Amino acid sequence: EKPPNGIFRLLDSQCKAPKASEEALCEQVNETHKKGGFLAPTRLKRMRDGEGFIVRHYAGDVVYETSTVIGKATKVSEVSLLEKNNDTLQEDWLEQLAGSEVPLLKSLFSPGWEAALKAKKSASFSSVGKRFVNDLNSLLDELKASKAHFVRCIKPNSKQVKKEFEPAMVLDQLRCSGVVEAVRVMTEAYPTRIPYEVIHGRYAPLMGKEVLDATGDEPAAFCEAIAIACDVAPGDFALGLTKLFLKVGCGVFLEDLASMDTAVVVPLLVAKIAESKRKKGAEKVIGNAVYGWFLRKRYKEKRAAAALAQHRMRTLKARREYQKWSKERQERLKREAAERTKKEAEEKAMREAEAEARRKAEAEASANKKKADEKAVAAAVAKAKAEAEARVAAEMAEAEARVAAEMAENEARNAAKQKLDRKRSDSNVFGSQPMVEATLASPRGRAGSTTRRPSFFDAASNANLTEALTEAQKEKEAEKVAGGGIDGTMSLEKASSNHAVKKEEYFDVLIIRDVGKGTLGIAVDLWDGEVTVGAITTGGPADREGTLVQGDVIKGVDGCPCNTIEEVTGMVQKAPKDIRLSICRRPVSVVLESMIRMRMPSGEWEPFAFRLLSNRNIEFEKLSPPVYAGEIHARLAQSLKLVEERGGDKVLEIVTGHKHFQIKCETMLELETWQLRLQEVIMLQEKVANVAHGWLLKEEPAQSGSGTQFKHYWFVLFSNGILMYFADMQRAVLGQALGFIPVENCVEETRNASMHTISIKCSFKTWLLATKSKESMLQWAASLKVAAPSDASAKPAIDAVLAQGWCDLPRDTPEGEVWARHWFVLKSSALQIYPEEQKKAAAKGPLGEPSASLQSTAMKTATRAQGADFYKWGIVVETTDGTLLRMRATGQSEMRHLLSTLNVNCIPTEVAAPGTREAVATLTEQLKA
């Protein structure tokens, strides 16, 4: 701000000019200071020199703009810098105010008027900038005169008003300006400094011998003893070469000593020094004890850590040794298998070579014999040609006849087994549910199995079937002789375990059969390549034992590993009465989950969340009011059918023994996925055999999106007319199929010498398969034509127990309506009611005949009760003739479970058959009785 180049000086000069303007001021400031580094170029902000100027500041550049620029940007008129700087009051006004009769106004303006009279004409101009510079210079003069170390100007508030203090704003300024750091440095420093001679020379001659012996003749030691005796903290003073350094406020004790009499001070200092020595001794003892405790604690922690490290290292070493041993064992087994395969191949090659040698010898003998007579040779050649043509035709006819005969023989066996099943509910070794007769040709099956020809039956499977039937008859006769037996009803309560399995568990189950070589009371399936418990018969040995649940995997019998149903069956037949099963139980996981719509008994389509679980049960949750949840046991399904509604939507119809379920999905792909997974579950319960299997090419849409392409898959044709395909031969097990089609019609065609196709059709899809061998194509065509469709034979309905428990039913008495306790059993076919006395009398035995029974076909709707019964978990079942059956469950969860089971599993969606009115009338009379 030194004249004449300061910004305030230039502003004052422009204010005095006759034609002053803000543009001229900005141009003058930019021109004057453009090389000084004080101002930044205006082009950085895309401004002209006449529009403003930019001042460089440590916190950032500050832009000063003219009132014209500000007015254009804000649309509000702004006062110019020149007018803001002008602070000159006219002399007439100043004279009138100085001569005012008001004492206050006169005292305020009289000094200014007197100064104006004395001032020169050139100094009559007054500006805000000039007054600010003068005030700043006077402040600097006062600061220089006061000899202050430093000054920090703090802005008390952001409103620029007096007597208002903003703590947060002031604290931020103190922190940013470094005041807090400066104060911290001052507190950490030692401003008070006292020479040793001032303390030592005054008090040392007056101290006793003990103090002098303890401190010696050193002034520093004596001053330290005095400071400690006066309760000065060790961190508040420091010893220099010639002076004692003290922090702020810690030198007060010296002033107190100086004001006191030496006769009083000396005994006091001696006592304090003695007390300080005792404290030092106690401090040393306590410090040693604490340090010893710390060392002992650290030693124990290190010892525990060392033991843990040793344990983990030994565990790691043992695990590595086991992994090494397991790897060597696997390699050894693979090497032995490879050697065995190689040996078998060599033996086969040797046999083929011997046969080829015999054939060549016979051919040479025949040729030598034919050379004797040329005429005989020509005749033999013609005869051989004719015989070859006839042999090819005969072989084709014989192949077709053989396939038809074997299929007829297999159907006869199946019919015999079905006849035997109807006589005896538990027709196999494990229980009442049928099992798949033949496993898929897969390396995951029994060890040593070989690949069969695609067009013929597995004779070994038929032999095993006959043997199983014979053993089953023997077991039935043994059970009759022993007088034992079971209820024969499938228990769906064993579909899941009460114990929530969070990880894979392995355990053994000991099952005691009723008679030697008797049934275990379970049905087994080959699901995903493993022998799995499919169902448990109520009252059987496995049900009485109570450990097995649906979905458990049987790994072995009596300590012997088993991988196929045949191996498990053989071990069970050989085992004694008490048999031990090695079980693997895996957590139940969700295999497939979708939001679908299901047709309700009212005919409406309601949204449900369906989940297919790994134990082959279907969980459902209704998404629209009234909300409830439950399960549909997939094992009850008998067949699937894909039908088309009038609107063109595809609907999947699931047929059970007592009800038809109709579901549909958002996309056709999702619906086909559900159809595939449910068809695999149904296949486990049918008596199906592997008719043919092998590699085929299947036509699929190209990955590019245009055209088609052929891709290799492993196909398996079952005796029920279902053709499935898998990714490869190792994955050819139920549970891993990629798709299926019920064979209804097939047409073979030869496109060229290297491409032979088979077109397979059903009601909802068409497959085009191809093979490079004509013989393979003819064999597949013959097998496909002979295979029966999946719905050719009727399947017996399984009347399973869906729910059972206590409920209350109303009874009319002379006193009024009374609710009595009853035991109900809800099956797929009917709702059975038992009195409380009959249930208690039966205990664990059979219940006998129910007192009332309502057939599922007679039910129309099941809804939540209204009124008072609503708060007592009431349910109202409406029959086809309008009769209402009122029930009360024991709790909310029981009510929801019973309501969902009635609506989903029992009440049919079709119109009730004739004759249900009589059943409803009978139920009404029974309930009244």
Side-chain angles (χ1 to χ4, degrees):
E1 295 304 326
K2 295 180 180 180
N5 297 330
I7 294 180
F8 287 114
R9 305 295 182 183
L10 296 175
L11 178 61
D12 291 343
S13 64
Q14 281 293 328
C15 290
K16 296 176 183 179
K19 294 184 179 180
S21 64
E22 289 181 307
E23 289 77 7
L25 172 64
C26 294
E27 291 177 355
Q28 186 178 5
V29 170
N30 287 319
E31 181 65 24
T32 304
H33 297 282
K34 66 179 180 179
K35 294 182 180 180
F38 174 69
L39 298 182
T42 55
R43 63 176 178 274
L44 297 178
K45 299 295 181 178
R46 298 182 179 180
M47 298 167 50
R48 293 192 299 271
D49 289 346
E51 294 179 348
F53 55 90
I54 304 173
V55 179
R56 294 188 183 275
H57 193 266
Y58 73 94
D61 295 342
V62 181
V63 180
Y64 294 90
E65 297 176 332
T66 62
S67 59
T68 305
V69 176
I70 296 174
K72 291 181 180 179
T74 60
K75 306 297 183 180
V76 178
S77 59
E78 181 70 18
V79 180
S80 66
L81 292 174
L82 302 181
E83 294 181 6
K84 291 180 180 180
N85 187 51
N86 190 359
D87 194 34
T88 304
L89 188 63
Q90 295 183 8
E91 293 182 0
D92 297 339
W93 284 91
L94 188 58
E95 182 180 1
Q96 292 294 330
L97 292 172
S100 175
E101 296 179 356
V102 180
L104 178 60
L105 292 178
K106 186 174 182 179
S107 62
L108 290 175
F109 294 98
S110 295
W113 170 246
E114 295 174 357
L117 293 176
K118 297 178 181 180
K120 297 181 180 180
K121 184 179 181 181
S122 59
S124 61
F125 177 74
S126 176
S127 65
V128 177
K130 182 177 180 180
R131 189 170 69 252
F132 173 76
V133 172
N134 294 335
D135 293 343
L136 183 61
N137 291 332
S138 62
L139 176 61
L140 292 176
D141 294 338
E142 291 180 3
L143 292 176
K144 291 177 181 179
S146 62
K147 296 182 181 180
H149 293 281
F150 63 92
V151 175
R152 288 289 182 270
C153 296
I154 304 301
K155 189 175 182 180
N157 57 73
S158 59
K159 300 178 181 179
Q160 298 183 3
V161 296
K162 60 182 179 179
K163 296 183 180 181
E164 186 172 340
F165 186 79
E166 296 181 4
M169 180 178 178
V170 173
L171 182 60
D172 290 340
Q173 294 180 74
L174 292 175
R175 288 174 177 172
C176 296
S177 61
V179 174
V180 177
E181 291 296 325
V183 173
R184 186 182 64 80
V185 171
M186 291 177 62
T187 57
E188 293 294 332
Y190 299 92
T192 304
R193 304 172 184 183
I194 302 173
Y196 291 146
E197 296 300 330
V198 175
I199 301 175
H200 183 268
R202 182 177 181 181
Y203 297 106
L206 302 177
M207 293 296 170
K209 183 179 180 182
E210 295 181 359
V211 178
L212 295 178
D213 292 341
T215 59
D217 197 19
E218 295 182 2
F222 182 80
C223 292
E224 181 181 8
I226 295 298
I228 294 175
C230 294
D231 297 330
V232 180
D236 292 340
F237 71 92
L239 300 175
L241 295 178
T242 60
K243 293 181 181 181
L244 175 65
F245 293 85
L246 298 168
K247 288 189 176 181
V248 178
C250 296
V252 180
F253 76 96
L254 295 176
E255 297 177 0
D256 295 340
L257 292 177
S259 61
M260 296 173 63
D261 188 8
T262 56
V264 179
V265 172
V266 171
L268 181 62
L269 290 178
V270 171
K272 284 185 174 293
I273 291 174
E275 183 181 359
S276 176
K277 289 175 65 177
R278 290 194 300 272
K279 288 183 179 180
K280 281 186 178 181
E283 180 181 356
K284 185 175 182 181
V285 173
I286 295 173
N288 292 336
V290 173
Y291 185 63
W293 171 82
F294 172 74
L295 292 179
R296 287 192 298 273
K297 180 182 177 183
R298 187 170 62 178
Y299 167 74
K300 292 180 180 179
E301 291 176 352
K302 288 184 177 179
R303 185 173 62 181
L308 180 61
Q310 290 177 357
H311 169 70
R312 292 188 177 179
M313 288 301 295
R314 293 193 187 103
T315 303
L316 180 61
K317 182 180 179 181
R319 187 180 292 110
R320 288 179 178 175
E321 290 178 355
Y322 172 76
Q323 291 176 352
K324 181 180 179 181
W325 172 84
S326 179
K327 184 177 181 181
E328 292 176 353
R329 178 175 176 272
Q330 294 295 333
E331 292 177 354
R332 177 172 55 80
L333 294 177
K334 289 182 180 179
R335 186 167 57 254
E336 292 176 357
E339 292 176 356
R340 185 166 55 253
T341 304
K342 182 179 179 182
K343 185 177 180 181
E344 292 176 356
E346 290 177 353
E347 292 177 355
K348 182 179 179 181
M350 186 179 297
R351 290 194 299 269
E352 291 178 354
E354 292 176 356
E356 183 67 20
R358 286 195 300 270
R359 189 185 63 78
K360 288 184 178 180
E362 292 174 358
E364 290 178 358
S366 178
N368 293 333
K369 184 177 180 181
K370 290 178 183 179
K371 286 182 181 179
D373 192 358
E374 294 181 356
K375 185 177 181 180
V377 171
V381 171
K383 183 179 179 180
K385 183 177 180 181
E387 290 178 353
E389 294 176 354
R391 185 170 61 255
V392 172
E395 287 180 355
M396 293 301 298
E398 183 181 357
E400 295 181 358
R402 188 185 303 112
V403 171
E406 291 179 350
M407 284 298 299
E409 182 182 356
N410 188 52
E411 290 178 356
R413 287 195 180 97
N414 290 340
K417 190 173 187 301
Q418 292 176 359
K419 184 176 180 181
L420 182 60
D421 290 341
R422 288 191 293 270
K423 295 180 179 179
R424 179 177 180 269
S425 58
D426 49 352
S427 59
N428 54 44
V429 178
F430 288 87
S432 62
Q433 295 302 312
M435 65 181 178
V436 179
E437 293 181 354
T439 58
L440 301 179
S442 170
R444 298 177 63 177
R446 181 169 50 187
S449 63
T450 57
T451 304
R452 296 171 287 181
R453 295 183 62 187
S455 62
F456 302 104
F457 288 97
D458 190 350
S461 299
N462 295 330
N464 293 337
L465 174 62
T466 305
E467 182 179 356
L469 291 173
T470 304
E471 294 294 335
Q473 293 174 356
K474 293 180 180 179
E475 294 167 7
K476 184 64 177 180
E477 293 174 359
E479 291 178 1
K480 290 181 179 179
V481 172
I486 57 177
D487 186 13
T489 303
M490 177 188 294
S491 174
L492 297 183
E493 296 178 356
K494 287 290 183 177
S496 61
S497 173
N498 294 330
H499 170 61
V501 181
K502 297 183 179 180
K503 62 180 182 179
E504 195 172 83
E505 298 179 355
Y506 291 87
F507 54 90
D508 291 344
V509 177
L510 180 62
I511 300 178
I512 302 175
R513 295 184 279 191
D514 298 329
V515 295
K517 296 187 178 181
T519 178
L520 299 180
I522 61 175
V524 295
D525 305 323
L526 189 65
W527 180 258
D528 204 7
E530 295 180 318
V531 182
T532 309
V533 177
I536 301 175
T537 306
T538 303
D543 184 52
R544 292 196 300 270
E545 196 278 334
T547 302
L548 290 178
V549 297
Q550 179 179 329
D552 287 347
V553 180
I554 301 176
K555 290 293 186 179
V557 179
D558 284 344
C560 297
C562 300
N563 297 322
T564 63
I565 294 180
E566 290 83 357
E567 293 178 0
V568 174
T569 304
M571 291 301 301
V572 171
Q573 292 176 352
K574 297 176 184 178
K577 183 178 179 180
D578 299 344
I579 185 169
R580 186 178 299 276
L581 302 180
S582 299
I583 302 299
C584 172
R585 181 172 295 171
R586 298 188 177 95
V588 178
S589 59
V590 178
V591 178
L592 183 61
E593 184 174 6
S594 301
M595 198 286 285
I596 68 173
R597 292 185 175 273
M598 184 168 64
R599 186 190 295 273
M600 302 303 293
S602 62
E604 299 293 332
W605 290 91
E606 297 289 348
F608 283 79
F610 267 52
R611 289 179 289 274
L612 178 62
L613 306 180
S614 57
N615 61 357
R616 304 192 292 284
N617 287 341
I618 300 175
E619 283 187 352
F620 66 87
E621 182 180 356
K622 192 168 180 291
L623 302 180
S624 61
V627 178
Y628 51 78
E631 282 188 345
I632 299 176
H633 301 279
R635 292 184 59 85
L636 300 180
Q638 295 183 347
S639 64
L640 301 175
K641 183 186 295 185
L642 196 63
V643 297
E644 185 173 355
E645 289 188 323
R646 293 183 179 179
D649 295 339
K650 294 293 191 300
V651 177
L652 180 61
E653 188 175 22
I654 306 173
V655 181
T656 65
H658 304 277
K659 184 174 179 178
H660 291 196
F661 296 89
Q662 291 185 344
I663 63 174
K664 60 182 179 180
C665 303
E666 296 295 334
T667 62
M668 187 62 188
L669 178 61
E670 194 173 13
L671 189 65
E672 290 178 351
T673 304
W674 275 98
Q675 185 186 16
L676 172 61
R677 297 304 169 218
L678 293 177
Q679 182 64 39
E680 289 177 325
V681 176
I682 294 175
M683 295 278 287
L684 294 175
Q685 307 170 70
E686 298 180 346
K687 297 181 177 67
V688 295
N690 182 352
V691 177
H693 55 260
W695 291 100
L696 289 175
L697 293 169
K698 182 177 180 294
E699 186 181 34
E700 294 182 346
Q703 296 180 355
S704 60
S706 60
T708 59
Q709 64 179 5
F710 283 92
K711 189 175 180 180
H712 263 101
Y713 291 103
W714 180 263
F715 283 79
V716 178
L717 175 63
F718 295 93
S719 58
N720 61 350
I722 297 296
L723 179 63
M724 287 187 174
Y725 71 96
F726 305 83
D728 51 42
M729 188 168 54
Q730 285 74 20
R731 299 180 182 177
V733 292
L734 292 177
Q736 297 189 15
L738 301 179
F740 82 101
I741 185 173
V743 180
E744 297 180 0
N745 184 25
C746 66
V747 178
E748 60 269 19
E749 179 185 0
T750 300
R751 295 188 177 182
N752 51 54
S754 60
M755 181 63 71
H756 307 277
T757 61
I758 303 175
S759 178
I760 304 175
K761 297 181 180 179
C762 71
S763 58
F764 55 87
K765 67 173 66 174
T766 301
W767 283 2
L768 183 62
L769 309 180
T771 179
K772 296 182 180 179
S773 172
K774 184 176 182 180
E775 181 182 0
S776 177
M777 184 267 290
L778 294 175
Q779 291 177 351
W780 273 103
S783 301
L784 290 170
K785 291 179 180 178
V786 173
S790 58
D791 56 351
S793 59
K795 305 176 183 64
I798 302 174
D799 193 11
V801 177
L802 303 177
Q804 56 183 347
W806 292 104
C807 69
D808 294 335
L809 297 177
R811 179 185 298 173
D812 293 331
T813 63
E815 291 78 14
E817 187 180 66
V818 177
W819 289 83
R821 193 181 187 194
H822 290 74
W823 178 266
F824 76 93
V825 177
L826 179 60
K827 295 185 177 182
S828 303
S829 60
L831 172 64
Q832 298 175 348
I833 305 297
Y834 299 88
E836 183 179 7
E837 298 78 11
Q838 183 177 354
K839 169 61 179 175
K840 292 182 178 179
K844 296 185 178 179
L847 290 172
E849 293 296 326
S851 61
S853 178
L854 176 62
Q855 299 297 321
S856 299
T857 54
M859 301 179 188
K860 184 178 180 181
T861 60
T863 57
R864 181 81 180 271
Q866 302 297 326
D869 289 348
F870 178 88
Y871 301 98
K872 297 182 180 180
W873 320 123
I875 298 175
V876 178
V877 180
E878 182 182 3
T879 60
T880 53
D881 66 343
T883 304
L884 300 180
L885 172 61
R886 298 164 58 201
M887 304 172 61
R888 288 180 180 177
T890 57
Q892 184 180 18
S893 59
E894 290 80 1
M895 179 272 298
R896 289 184 175 179
H897 176 63
L898 180 58
L899 185 63
S900 63
T901 306
L902 286 169
N903 278 293
V904 176
N905 293 283
C906 296
I907 301 177
T909 55
E910 297 83 8
V911 179
T916 56
R917 186 179 301 273
E918 292 76 9
V920 173
T922 303
L923 173 66
T924 305
E925 295 298 330
Q926 291 173 346
L927 291 176
K928 289 181 178 179

